[in-house]
Amino acid sequence: MEKLIKAAREARKFARARYSNFQVGAALLTRDGQIITGSNVESSSYGLTICAERVALTKALSEGIDQFEAIAIVAKDGSFTPPCGACRQLLYDYAPDIEIILSNGKETQKYKLKELLPHAFDESNLGEK
């Protein structure tokens, strides 16, 4: 867990948050032990901003990696920063049983994604394929 948090903290250094100055790093642990990192990237068209969690997930998926154990998320020290709704949904689509690890620099909190997104929208809501 500490290695994952450290990787998220390192990823945070690469955040592109020139509008909000709210830098976030994420580190995604794959089932085979790889760590894939991401940082938030903001756009002047705010709706195009992408969160650190989605950067890490899409990096992994685009490389053919699709089995995940945990994701650590780090923002500013002293603050626990859980994934936003969009990140929760995308994580649920690809890793519904993932563990979410939040660090504020001194303490950690752990949740199962299903705790943070109860009654999630999923493929069963789409009807027959």
Side-chain angles (χ1 to χ4, degrees):
M1 183 170 63
E2 286 305 315
K3 184 177 177 182
L4 199 60
I5 292 168
K6 182 179 179 184
R9 190 170 306 288
E10 286 297 313
R12 183 177 178 261
K13 294 176 182 176
F14 298 107
R16 301 289 186 240
R18 62 184 182 191
Y19 304 105
S20 71
N21 293 315
F22 189 73
Q23 298 171 314
V24 181
L28 183 62
L29 178 64
T30 68
R31 192 159 290 153
D32 65 1
Q34 293 182 69
I35 295 176
I36 311 295
T37 61
S39 58
N40 57 319
V41 179
E42 293 182 347
S43 171
S44 59
S45 178
Y46 298 133
L48 298 179
T49 294
I50 185 166
C51 301
E53 301 92 309
R54 285 182 282 151
V55 169
L57 181 64
T58 55
K59 278 173 62 176
L61 293 170
S62 69
E63 295 297 324
I65 302 165
D66 62 1
Q67 300 293 310
F68 309 105
E69 295 290 325
I71 187 167
I73 304 162
V74 174
K76 62 183 178 178
D77 283 345
S79 174
F80 291 109
T81 303
C84 73
C87 289
R88 292 176 196 202
Q89 181 62 52
L90 197 63
L91 285 166
Y92 191 90
D93 287 335
Y94 292 95
D97 297 315
I98 198 167
E99 182 173 52
I100 309 293
I101 302 166
L102 309 177
S103 175
N104 69 1
K106 294 181 181 177
E107 302 172 299
T108 60
Q109 295 177 346
K110 292 193 274 185
Y111 303 91
K112 284 295 197 179
L113 178 57
K114 289 179 180 180
E115 292 177 84
L116 298 179
L117 190 62
H119 311 291
F121 183 91
D122 65 15
E123 60 191 27
S124 69
N125 299 107
L126 297 174
E128 291 187 37
K129 291 185 178 184

